[in-house]
Amino acid sequence: MMRTRPLKVALLGCGVVGSEVARIMTTHAADLAARIGAPVELAGVAVRRAGRPRPGVPEHLVTTDATELVKRGDIDVVVEVIGGIEPARGLILSAFEHGASVVSANKALLAQDGAALHAAAVGAGVDLYYEAAVAGAIPLIRPLRESLAGDKVNRVLGIVNGTTNFILDKMDSSGAGYSEALEEATALGYAEADPTADVEGFDAAAKAAILAGIAFHTRVTAAEVYREGITEVTAADIRSAKEMGCVVKLLAICERARDGRSVTARVHPAMIPLSHPLASVREAYNAVFVEAEAAGRLMFYGPGAGGSPTASAVLGDLVAVCRNKIAEATGPGESAYTELPARPMGDVVTRYHVSLDVADRAGVLAQVATVFAEHGVSIDTVRQQGRDGDASLVVVTHRATDAALSATVDKLRALDSVRDVASIMRVEGE
Amino acid sequence: MMRTRPLKVALLGCGVVGSEVARIMTTHAADLAARIGAPVELAGVAVRRAGRPRPGVPEHLVTTDATELVKRGDIDVVVEVIGGIEPARGLILSAFEHGASVVSANKALLAQDGAALHAAAVGAGVDLYYEAAVAGAIPLIRPLRESLAGDKVNRVLGIVNGTTNFILDKMDSSGAGYSEALEEATALGYAEADPTADVEGFDAAAKAAILAGIAFHTRVTAAEVYREGITEVTAADIRSAKEMGCVVKLLAICERARDGRSVTARVHPAMIPLSHPLASVREAYNAVFVEAEAAGRLMFYGPGAGGSPTASAVLGDLVAVCRNKIAEATGPGESAYTELPARPMGDVVTRYHVSLDVADRAGVLAQVATVFAEHGVSIDTVRQQGRDGDASLVVVTHRATDAALSATVDKLRALDSVRDVASIMRVEGE
């Protein structure tokens, strides 16, 4: 029962992902048609600069006028792989107004304006799908939104940025410092020329916002996600983690509060035990743990970026929205009915690894321990090592709020006997 | 925009999974309603024997007449968690005739009669969903069918039976033999009183058939899946695997032939390297690797069985088919357009670990090596160990067809110098 009129697709952006989407649409046209129930046709490709060679993209389809392409009126689906806020947002809204469904890989935009975009899609009676926005090819949005729709997700914990995982993995395996590992990542193409979005955690924070919203059926924006990057992680931190049987990973963690009335979302480096499945996620791979009430602990693993994996996710969405178009239906849209507020970082409860440089004299440990006790932060283990009159003191705490730990650290800094708070790192995954 | 008329659900079966489905439908009613867009109501529960206490299931909903319940005419969705071929098949077909969509966890039935059931669902314009039939709570059917709908899956390799993984894991960690490990699994509730379906690989073979069909857009029945259980796996095999840096797992492997014109599906114990992510899947957990052309290597991990995890998968499907009912649409159904035939085991290409008891005298190794060479099976490594006049000889081959290996082994058995072919095990995941 194949429909013969093809569905027309406008592709916005023809970089690493876009060109791969175009290539697969051509080479796998028969498969896509069979799976959709109608042929799909690439009806136009909007690019920033004309005249470049684009193998596999017919010259006559290329335009520099994305606005005009979206408004043409015969477009069934717009695939947006431009990235960034504008002009992507305006183009998506215009696509909706002209009756087109949208498949997007734009995490920054969705993490900032997801609510408005979803509302616009609903208003227009079309779909907005974005599996490719989080963790590349790894099916994550659809499992969270559909497979777990009958369950209650309590926690999402994952490695969602390949660049930083590559850098931390390199530091762990070679003992290299941050700068050296970043250099290698850049040379190998794992880090961009300006790596800020990755290494400062902005990319992971956008993904955390999207995941938290879907997992908890609420709305979380990137601005509400606590964010710490990996630029301050030192070779000494990695060594310290090893001594504890841990490894350092940049984690995105979304949690439902124990009372069920709020959620938290955060991105920061953390030590996790080697026995945790996320510890063995190497190089630029991504993996996400999901803890749900009935399902238990699930993990999803795969390549989190790259042209082909991201194109795979885009095309999976393309098949789904095309099928919906033919059925004159829409898929599951935003589900934000719980309206759970996002709470600040101070409310987050976890464990901490605190490394102090202290004077090597009697009574210092007692002083330090007292400060922890005064703030209700219970100490799990202490390791002290003398060093030329100074000593290093590593304290690992039991679970405490971030606010209590921060207050503890402020007080420690004020102690005469504490020369420096060398590092503070959270301990997760236990 | 909540619809007020509730969707009516008939539950067939109220055992470990069914009672958990009923419990969650009650305790999470508001969440389910919000996610579906209409309340869902448990309209009847069919059981084999009445009169048992069923906490959380209102007595007046319980009936022993499943046939009548399905035919009532007001049922929107039938949830089938009875298992087995009949009466499940008849009830599902009757549900379709009466306009109900079906959510099933019935791997045996789907692996035997999937094509007929899908055709009946299409004919009736209703849905047949069955995420719970493979790997419990792990989202696998939906990712394969929808997330990867724009990609080309080449291989699915997984641990899809928790009982056998528990037994093999126990043998690996404690050095126990098969019988001892099975006893422990039974005592802990991981194995049923009659463990045949699990330990002989029937359960995994049904799942392999379902996965192969979905992954390659074709039809594979359980009868077409090559099947070997774990009852012949010995403590010596496990030790041999360890010496090779491997672990023994019962794997379900579905592959597209290199020429793309056929598929194979098989279930058997195999050695996989410790470095492979599946090697670290412990106890009764399941995990499935998917290799797709654009997406690359993905892994899905989680609890593969149990009441709550299976109920989570059933309820995810329930939300989806209820949403489809309201939209008066159906979800993606069977996609078997490639019609790729399933080829026999003899065509499968892999590596082999062959353990021989041979006479300890000059020339035996040359004789054995000649037999391998005559059949075109290239040897990778040989390990020989003398033992009271006899010797044990372990040969690990390069890739060869199963037919070539079988012929080799037949010839080896006929050699005077070969006392016994102690074990043959495939080596996968490299």
Side-chain angles (χ1 to χ4, degrees):
Chain A
M1 288 187 310
M2 177 79 74
R3 201 179 86 147
T4 50
R5 188 178 75 72
L7 288 141
K8 295 197 175 178
V9 176
L11 179 59
L12 311 185
C14 199
V16 179
V17 176
S19 58
E20 189 64 7
V21 169
R23 189 189 67 76
I24 298 175
M25 281 185 67
T26 309
T27 55
H28 292 38
D31 279 319
L32 292 172
R35 296 172 193 181
I36 291 167
V40 273
E41 180 189 307
L42 194 56
V45 181
V47 300
R48 205 152 21 156
R49 256 160 291 174
R52 291 194 185 174
R54 294 186 172 84
V57 179
E59 190 57 39
H60 71 279
L61 296 181
V62 176
T63 171
T64 51
D65 194 343
T67 311
E68 201 51 47
L69 174 59
V70 166
K71 282 163 50 177
R72 233 169 66 175
D74 64 337
I75 303 296
D76 296 291
V77 182
V78 168
V79 173
E80 183 270 307
V81 287
I82 305 173
I85 305 302
E86 290 294 354
R89 175 170 49 188
L91 291 167
I92 290 174
L93 291 172
S94 172
F96 291 157
E97 280 164 28
H98 292 84
S101 287
V102 171
V103 175
S104 171
N106 195 329
K107 55 201 151 266
L109 177 58
L110 281 152
Q112 180 183 303
D113 285 327
L117 292 169
H118 280 293
V122 170
V126 296
D127 279 324
L128 170 61
Y129 275 45
Y130 48 94
E131 183 67 77
V134 181
I138 309 173
L140 205 53
I141 305 289
R142 189 173 275 106
L144 277 172
R145 175 181 273 174
E146 301 183 42
S147 306
L148 291 166
D151 207 332
K152 186 176 176 187
V153 175
N154 289 320
R155 196 153 186 257
V156 177
L157 175 98
I159 295 167
V160 295
N161 180 275
T163 304
T164 48
N165 200 58
F166 182 90
I167 293 170
L168 292 172
D169 185 35
K170 190 53 61 183
M171 289 173 73
D172 185 74
S173 60
S174 72
Y178 167 75
S179 307
E180 198 185 326
L182 171 61
E183 245 172 63
E184 185 169 348
T186 311
L188 292 170
Y190 287 114
E192 292 181 44
D194 175 1
T196 311
D198 293 317
V199 300
E200 296 291 359
F202 290 101
D203 174 86
K207 292 164 178 170
I210 294 171
L211 289 175
I214 295 175
F216 307 130
H217 297 269
T218 186
R219 278 185 197 124
V220 178
T221 64
E224 292 172 304
V225 178
Y226 174 83
R227 181 188 51 74
E228 242 177 69
I230 63 162
T231 56
E232 311 279 305
V233 177
T234 64
D237 290 330
I238 307 270
R239 277 197 306 275
S240 256
K242 275 198 178 155
E243 281 164 21
M244 283 180 64
C246 284
V247 62
V248 176
K249 295 288 186 191
L250 182 71
L251 298 181
I253 305 175
C254 311
E255 289 172 310
R256 189 192 289 273
R258 289 204 177 173
D259 67 4
R261 297 206 188 139
S262 62
V263 301
T264 54
R266 52 193 166 115
V267 166
H268 55 70
M271 297 183 180
I272 53 169
L274 285 170
S275 59
H276 194 283
L278 289 180
S280 55
V281 176
R282 308 290 306 272
E283 303 190 328
Y285 274 84
N286 281 193
V288 177
F289 239 77
V290 176
E291 294 177 20
E293 207 175 75
R297 304 175 84 197
L298 305 172
M299 188 172 80
F300 304 81
Y301 167 94
S308 291
T310 309
S312 172
V314 166
L315 287 161
D317 278 354
L318 180 65
V319 169
V321 303
C322 284
R323 287 182 45 86
N324 290 345
K325 274 269 167 195
I326 294 172
E328 297 179 353
T330 53
E334 190 192 27
S335 169
Y337 68 91
T338 66
E339 296 179 2
L340 294 174
R343 298 280 298 251
M345 189 62 185
D347 290 358
V348 165
V349 174
T350 188
R351 298 177 62 208
Y352 306 85
H353 176 281
V354 182
S355 180
L356 306 169
D357 293 334
V358 297
D360 192 5
R361 61 171 185 247
V364 172
L365 179 55
Q367 258 190 323
V368 166
T370 303
V371 172
F372 276 92
E374 280 169 3
H375 292 87
V377 180
S378 166
I379 292 176
D380 180 16
T381 60
V382 176
R383 213 170 55 237
Q384 182 160 5
Q385 202 165 16
R387 195 175 59 192
D388 309 332
D390 277 14
S392 95
L393 197 62
V394 171
V395 177
V396 180
T397 75
H398 285 297
R399 286 167 62 82
T401 64
D402 219 79
L405 194 278
S406 294
T408 306
V409 169
D410 287 348
K411 190 77 180 287
L412 288 173
R413 282 191 215 275
L415 289 183
D416 266 359
S417 53
V418 173
R419 307 269 158 86
D420 189 23
V421 178
S423 90
I424 306 161
M425 200 174 290
R426 296 173 186 87
V427 182
E428 304 284 344
E430 292 173 308
Chain B
M1 290 190 309
M2 176 80 72
R3 203 179 84 148
T4 48
R5 188 177 77 72
L7 287 141
K8 295 198 177 179
V9 176
L11 178 60
L12 310 184
C14 198
V16 179
V17 176
S19 58
E20 188 65 6
V21 169
R23 189 189 67 75
I24 298 175
M25 280 185 66
T26 309
T27 54
H28 291 39
D31 279 320
L32 292 172
R35 295 172 195 183
I36 291 167
V40 273
E41 178 189 309
L42 193 57
V45 181
V47 301
R48 207 154 20 157
R49 256 160 291 175
R52 292 195 183 171
R54 295 188 170 82
V57 179
E59 190 56 40
H60 72 278
L61 295 181
V62 176
T63 171
T64 53
D65 194 344
T67 311
E68 202 52 46
L69 175 59
V70 165
K71 281 162 52 177
R72 234 169 64 175
D74 64 337
I75 302 296
D76 295 292
V77 182
V78 168
V79 173
E80 184 269 308
V81 287
I82 305 174
I85 304 302
E86 289 295 353
R89 174 170 49 190
L91 292 168
I92 290 174
L93 292 172
S94 173
F96 290 156
E97 280 164 27
H98 292 84
S101 287
V102 171
V103 174
S104 171
N106 196 328
K107 55 201 150 266
L109 177 58
L110 281 153
Q112 181 184 302
D113 286 326
L117 292 169
H118 279 294
V122 170
V126 295
D127 279 324
L128 170 60
Y129 275 45
Y130 48 95
E131 182 68 74
V134 182
I138 310 174
L140 205 53
I141 305 290
R142 189 172 274 105
L144 277 172
R145 177 181 272 173
E146 301 182 43
S147 306
L148 291 166
D151 207 332
K152 187 176 178 187
V153 176
N154 288 320
R155 197 153 186 254
V156 177
L157 175 99
I159 295 166
V160 295
N161 180 274
T163 304
T164 49
N165 200 59
F166 183 90
I167 293 171
L168 292 172
D169 185 34
K170 191 51 64 182
M171 290 173 73
D172 185 74
S173 59
S174 72
Y178 168 73
S179 307
E180 197 185 325
L182 170 60
E183 247 173 61
E184 184 169 348
T186 311
L188 292 171
Y190 287 115
E192 293 181 43
D194 175 2
T196 311
D198 292 317
V199 301
E200 295 292 0
F202 289 101
D203 174 85
K207 292 164 177 170
I210 295 171
L211 289 175
I214 294 175
F216 307 130
H217 297 268
T218 186
R219 278 184 197 124
V220 178
T221 64
E224 292 172 305
V225 178
Y226 173 83
R227 179 188 51 75
E228 243 177 69
I230 63 161
T231 55
E232 311 278 305
V233 176
T234 64
D237 290 331
I238 307 270
R239 277 197 306 275
S240 255
K242 276 198 177 157
E243 281 164 21
M244 283 180 64
C246 285
V247 62
V248 176
K249 294 288 185 192
L250 182 71
L251 297 182
I253 305 176
C254 311
E255 289 172 310
R256 189 193 290 274
R258 290 207 175 171
D259 67 4
R261 297 210 186 135
S262 62
V263 301
T264 54
R266 51 192 166 115
V267 167
H268 55 71
M271 297 182 180
I272 53 169
L274 285 170
S275 59
H276 193 283
L278 289 180
S280 54
V281 176
R282 308 293 304 274
E283 304 190 328
Y285 274 83
N286 282 193
V288 176
F289 239 78
V290 175
E291 295 177 18
E293 208 174 75
R297 304 175 84 198
L298 304 172
M299 188 171 81
F300 303 80
Y301 166 95
S308 291
T310 309
S312 171
V314 165
L315 288 161
D317 278 354
L318 180 64
V319 169
V321 301
C322 285
R323 285 182 46 87
N324 291 344
K325 274 269 169 195
I326 295 172
E328 296 178 353
T330 53
E334 191 193 26
S335 169
Y337 69 92
T338 66
E339 296 178 3
L340 295 174
R343 297 281 300 251
M345 189 63 185
D347 291 358
V348 165
V349 174
T350 187
R351 298 177 62 206
Y352 307 86
H353 177 281
V354 182
S355 179
L356 306 169
D357 292 335
V358 298
D360 193 5
R361 60 173 188 248
V364 172
L365 178 55
Q367 260 188 323
V368 166
T370 304
V371 172
F372 275 92
E374 279 169 5
H375 292 87
V377 180
S378 167
I379 291 176
D380 180 15
T381 60
V382 176
R383 212 171 55 237
Q384 184 160 3
Q385 200 163 17
R387 192 175 63 193
D388 310 330
D390 277 13
S392 94
L393 197 63
V394 171
V395 177
V396 180
T397 75
H398 285 298
R399 287 166 61 82
T401 65
D402 218 79
L405 194 277
S406 295
T408 306
V409 169
D410 286 347
K411 191 76 180 288
L412 288 173
R413 282 192 213 277
L415 289 182
D416 267 0
S417 53
V418 172
R419 305 269 157 85
D420 188 24
V421 178
S423 90
I424 306 161
M425 199 173 290
R426 296 173 187 88
V427 182
E428 303 283 346
E430 294 172 308

